[in-house]
């Protein structure tokens, strides 16, 4: 009974880490495909309102073919850009509206003080997964 609360926290933390890694992989794929194909590639939330990316997302050519689709997860919440899309230009850099985008991945089992991960997109387009907010250094 002593280990159970710690184990629950560890499971929630691993779910958050896994969801953050999935989103990171999608962003890296979009950046890579944009440079490889010399076109704009978008990462767009599947559905949901405003900043809610928890329903999943897809990586696709701007107005075209889908490369990857990520399904929803009921154990994590993902808050991201309100535009619903992060776009990469053919240079691998984010288009103007996507610069300094931030995603917050958190567990549905814990409060805001729980095991969160932050995905920050820099001016160069590289996503970075952090344990603290994008505005601070860890």
């Amino acid at each position: 009974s002593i280990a159970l609360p710690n184990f629950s926290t560890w499971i929630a933390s691993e779910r958050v880490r896994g969801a953050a890694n999935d989103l990171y992989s999608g962003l890296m794929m979009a950046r890579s495909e944009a440079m490889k194909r010399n076109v704009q590639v978008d990462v767009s939330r599947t559905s949901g309102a405003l900043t809610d990316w928890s329903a999943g997302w897809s990586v696709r050519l701007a107005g075209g073919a889908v490369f990857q689709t990520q399904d929803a997860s009921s154990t994590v919440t993902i808050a991201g850009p309100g535009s619903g899309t992060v776009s990469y230009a053919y240079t691998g850099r984010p288009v103007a509206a996507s610069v300094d985008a931030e995603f917050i991945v958190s567990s549905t089992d814990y409060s805001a003080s729980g095991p969160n991960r932050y995905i920050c997109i820099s001016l160069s387009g590289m996503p970075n997964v952090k344990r603290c907010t994008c505005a601070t250094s860890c």
Side-chain angles (χ1 to χ4, degrees), residues 7-90:
F7 190 65
S8 298
T9 302
W10 179 78
I11 289 172
S13 178
E14 288 301 303
R15 287 178 178 158
V16 167
R17 187 182 61 77
N21 287 340
D22 288 343
L23 183 54
Y24 171 84
S25 295
L27 292 166
M28 285 299 293
M29 173 187 257
R31 184 173 189 263
S32 174
E33 290 294 329
M35 291 186 293
K36 181 172 88 175
R37 296 174 184 266
N38 203 26
V39 296
Q40 180 176 315
V41 176
D42 300 330
V43 179
S44 304
R45 69 174 179 255
T46 304
S47 63
L50 299 175
T51 62
D52 183 18
W53 285 64
S54 302
W57 60 88
S58 62
V59 179
R60 67 179 66 221
L61 289 173
V66 175
F67 296 115
Q68 177 187 33
T69 301
Q70 180 67 40
D71 295 329
S73 173
S74 61
T75 59
V76 297
T77 58
I78 302 172
S83 66
T85 301
V86 173
S87 301
Y88 284 95
Y90 69 93

